[in-house]
Amino acid sequence: MARSSKSAHISGRPVVTLAIAFAALLASAPLAAAQEPPVVIPPPSLDEKAAVSTEIAVFAGGCFWGVQGVFQHVKGVRKAVSGYSGGTAATADYETVSGGKTGHAESVEVTYDPREVTYGRLLQVFFSVAHNPTQLNYQGPDHGTQYRSAVFAVTSEQKRIADAYVAQLGKSGAYPAAIVTEVSPFKGFYAAEDYHQDFLTRNPTHPYIVYNDLPKIENLRALFPQAFRTNPVLVFKAKS
C-alpha cells in the first residue's frame, strides 16, 4: 500500500494523478488507519548522563518523511537525516529496501546536543508523537518490515535507557495494545537519496504529507511547546 502512494510521486506522475489515486485509497480505508493521535506519556525515569558534545540517535517509525520532519522541529537537534538502518550497505537504496527483505528499516539519524535535548526526551517525542509503537511491521498505510518500529541503540547506555523506557511505558497503561518496538544494537546508517531529504518541508501540499505527517508536527507543537522550534533544521541547509 505504501508504494502506491509514495512511489507515485517519485516516479514523476503528475500531482493531479497522485491526488486522485490517494483520494481513492483514503475512500477505501478507515480514516483512523493512517492519522494517529498523539499519546501523552511520562518522560523516561532513566536518562543519559550529561555530555558536552553532540551525539547520534537512530529511530525507525514508519515512513521516514514524517519522522524526519518531527525531529527537525525539536530544539537541540542539529541534523535529522532520512535513511536506512538494520541491513547492509549493498541493499541501502529505496527500491531495494521497499521490497521488505533487506533487514533495513526506513530510519532517521538524529544528531543532537544533549545539553539542550536529552536522549530520553527524544525517545519521549518518538513514542508519543512520531509514530505508533503498537503497530507491528507497519505504520498507518505503510506495510512491511521496512516500516517497523525500532530504536537502533548507538551506545550501550542508549540501549539501557531505551529498554527501560519501553518497560516503563508498557506498565503505564498509556497504550491500548502492547509496544512492539525493537531495541537493537546499531550496525550502520545509510543516508537515503536526496529526493527523500527534507521531504515534508519541501512538499507541504503532498497528499501523503497532509494526511499522515503534518498532524505530527502540530502534535509536537501542542505536547512539547518548550521543545518546539518553528523553523526546522534542514539537511540541505546543513550541507550548505
Side-chain angles (χ1 to χ4, degrees):
M1 186 177 294
R3 291 176 62 83
S4 67
S5 59
K6 290 172 66 179
S7 298
H9 171 88
I10 294 167
S11 63
R13 294 181 186 174
V15 174
V16 173
T17 301
L18 175 60
I20 293 173
F22 201 81
L25 175 65
L26 298 184
S28 64
L31 182 63
Q35 192 172 5
E36 295 291 339
V39 179
V40 178
I41 56 177
S45 299
L46 181 67
D47 206 344
E48 65 183 335
K49 299 176 182 178
V52 296
S53 60
T54 57
E55 297 181 1
I56 299 294
V58 179
F59 304 102
C63 173
F64 42 31
W65 293 345
V67 178
Q68 181 193 43
V70 167
F71 284 115
Q72 287 179 323
H73 280 277
V74 175
K75 291 180 180 178
V77 170
R78 296 289 177 261
K79 183 168 61 174
V81 180
S82 290
Y84 314 104
S85 194
T88 67
T91 59
D93 65 87
Y94 182 73
E95 289 302 321
T96 307
V97 171
S98 293
K101 298 180 180 180
T102 65
H104 280 298
E106 289 196 9
S107 306
V108 175
E109 181 187 68
V110 178
T111 302
Y112 67 100
D113 187 339
R115 293 168 295 185
E116 297 183 52
V117 59
T118 66
Y119 184 65
R121 174 51 65 91
L122 294 177
L123 284 172
Q124 188 181 15
V125 168
F126 176 66
F127 282 107
S128 64
V129 174
H131 84 307
N132 183 336
T134 69
Q135 295 181 341
L136 181 62
N137 294 332
Y138 80 100
Q139 284 293 307
D142 301 320
H143 290 248
T145 58
Q146 70 271 29
Y147 297 112
R148 67 187 182 274
S149 173
V151 174
F152 294 99
V154 177
T155 66
S156 58
E157 184 182 31
Q158 285 189 359
K159 188 175 189 313
R160 185 167 63 93
I161 294 168
D163 281 334
Y165 197 35
V166 169
Q168 176 187 341
L169 293 178
K171 295 177 181 178
S172 72
Y175 300 94
I179 294 174
V180 297
T181 306
E182 301 174 359
V183 179
S184 305
F186 175 72
K187 297 180 179 179
F189 176 83
Y190 310 94
E193 297 81 356
D194 281 353
Y195 56 79
H196 286 301
Q197 306 301 339
D198 306 329
F199 195 91
L200 183 150
T201 300
R202 293 186 294 109
N203 300 275
T205 61
H206 188 295
Y208 185 97
I209 294 298
V210 170
Y211 184 65
N212 295 282
D213 295 333
L214 289 185
K216 296 178 182 179
I217 306 302
E218 291 309 309
N219 292 336
L220 176 68
R221 187 199 306 268
L223 267 63
F224 301 94
Q226 299 304 315
F228 183 81
R229 71 191 321 159
T230 302
N231 297 318
V233 55
L234 302 178
V235 172
F236 291 116
K237 182 178 291 187
K239 283 183 178 181
S240 62

